[in-house]
Amino acid sequence: ELKVEQNPLFLSMQEGKNYTIYCNYSTTSDRLYWYRQDPGKSLESLFVLLSNGAVKQEGRLMASLDTKARLSTLHITAAVHDLSATYFCAVDPSQPSIQGAQKLVFGQGTRLTINP
Amino acid sequence: DVKVTQSSRYLVKRTGEKVFLECVQDMDHENMFWYRQDPGLGLRLIYFSYDVKMKEKGDIPEGYSVSREKKERFSLILESASTNQTSMYLCASSSLEDRGFLWVYEQYFGPGTRLTVT
């Protein structure tokens, strides 16, 4: 059974600081997704990472994937208050050619609070 | 843009009532999903469907059923609501997307329904 674990689960930081959220998963996969969720809102897609060594960047967020270590990181650079949200990683362990096999397994989420 | 809509944002029901949660997507996606979200537990998959009239159990199907009579609509049914089904329910849809060198199923989420069972 695939398990996806994020850490930390809660993170409070000051504006201007850097920090990293970690996502570990237990079985082989080369597809990993990061989502953002604002309070009371639904999930919004941030990044899709599709191969070992993949790196994606959007503004102050950068995500990377190491499939050999079964680890993805979400790095926040010079945090600003607007980045306060809950961040989820999700892993797709299936093969796209198999109909009906696709589903994602989500981590617990990391609630990020950035203080002015 | 993909749009996934859910019939209610907030719902309050009594124990033992039959509850219907509706989800509609407008992008002709084959796959649709129902999750529940609880603090500290992330998202847990209840049921999913990869075609009309097809359904598969997820990780926590007990106490729920689903219906998919049309491609764009996926309903979650609580046959007899209980207090432990108080939760946020999220619907999502996906389809196979070509990202150049790899095919992916990116999921697009609806706004969620916060269900309270009293």
Side-chain angles (χ1 to χ4, degrees):
Chain A
E1 179 189 346
L2 172 61
K3 292 193 185 304
V4 181
E5 293 188 349
Q6 289 181 234
N7 74 84
L9 299 183
F10 299 94
L11 179 56
S12 181
M13 53 194 291
Q14 296 293 319
E15 277 193 329
K17 300 289 188 184
N18 303 332
Y19 211 83
T20 301
I21 299 170
Y22 297 89
C23 174
N24 292 273
Y25 54 98
S26 60
T27 62
T28 302
S29 175
D30 55 6
R31 294 170 183 79
L32 190 135
Y33 306 79
W34 283 97
Y35 288 86
R36 169 183 172 145
Q37 185 179 37
D38 292 306
K41 301 285 182 66
S42 191
L43 274 73
E44 171 192 351
S45 178
L46 286 176
F47 300 111
V48 181
L49 302 170
L50 299 179
S51 62
N52 188 40
V55 176
K56 292 277 185 75
Q57 183 162 5
E58 179 83 28
R60 300 173 188 274
L61 299 177
M62 184 173 73
S64 65
L65 178 62
D66 181 344
T67 57
K68 294 179 181 176
R70 298 177 185 169
L71 170 68
S72 179
T73 60
L74 180 66
H75 187 72
I76 302 138
T77 302
V80 293
H81 180 68
D82 287 352
L83 291 178
S84 296
T86 299
Y87 293 86
F88 290 93
C89 65
V91 176
D92 177 1
S94 63
Q95 300 297 318
S97 60
I98 301 173
Q99 186 188 35
Q102 182 263 351
K103 55 183 180 179
L104 299 182
V105 178
F106 284 80
Q108 311 96 309
T110 297
R111 183 181 289 181
L112 174 63
T113 302
I114 299 169
N115 304 304
Chain B
D1 281 352
V2 176
K3 192 165 184 185
V4 181
T5 59
Q6 295 182 229
S7 50
S8 305
R9 292 300 307 276
Y10 300 95
L11 210 51
V12 180
K13 296 291 182 180
R14 292 190 180 274
T15 301
E17 281 192 82
K18 190 169 186 174
V19 181
F20 293 87
L21 302 182
E22 303 282 338
C23 176
V24 177
Q25 50 93 5
D26 66 357
M27 284 301 290
D28 202 36
H29 283 174
E30 294 86 21
N31 305 309
M32 296 188 75
F33 306 82
W34 276 107
Y35 295 90
R36 64 177 282 176
Q37 182 179 15
D38 300 289
L41 297 177
L43 274 71
R44 293 180 292 167
L45 182 64
I46 304 171
Y47 268 97
F48 67 102
S49 168
Y50 55 89
D51 201 353
V52 175
K53 297 191 186 295
M54 304 301 287
K55 60 186 178 185
E56 294 269 348
K57 291 180 180 179
D59 300 316
I60 51 164
E62 296 79 18
Y64 303 94
S65 62
V66 290
S67 172
R68 193 161 181 208
E69 297 297 318
K70 293 184 178 181
K71 191 175 185 180
E72 68 271 18
R73 188 180 297 268
F74 192 35
S75 302
L76 179 69
I77 303 154
L78 287 66
E79 294 290 342
S80 177
S82 64
T83 54
N84 63 12
Q85 292 178 311
T86 291
S87 186
M88 170 71 93
Y89 290 87
L90 293 168
C91 174
S93 72
S94 74
S95 190
L96 202 55
E97 297 177 21
D98 183 358
R99 294 296 174 96
F101 62 95
L102 207 61
W103 291 83
V104 299
Y105 287 99
E106 185 170 359
Q107 291 190 15
Y108 300 86
F109 284 82
T113 296
R114 185 166 293 281
L115 172 66
T116 302
V117 182
T118 62

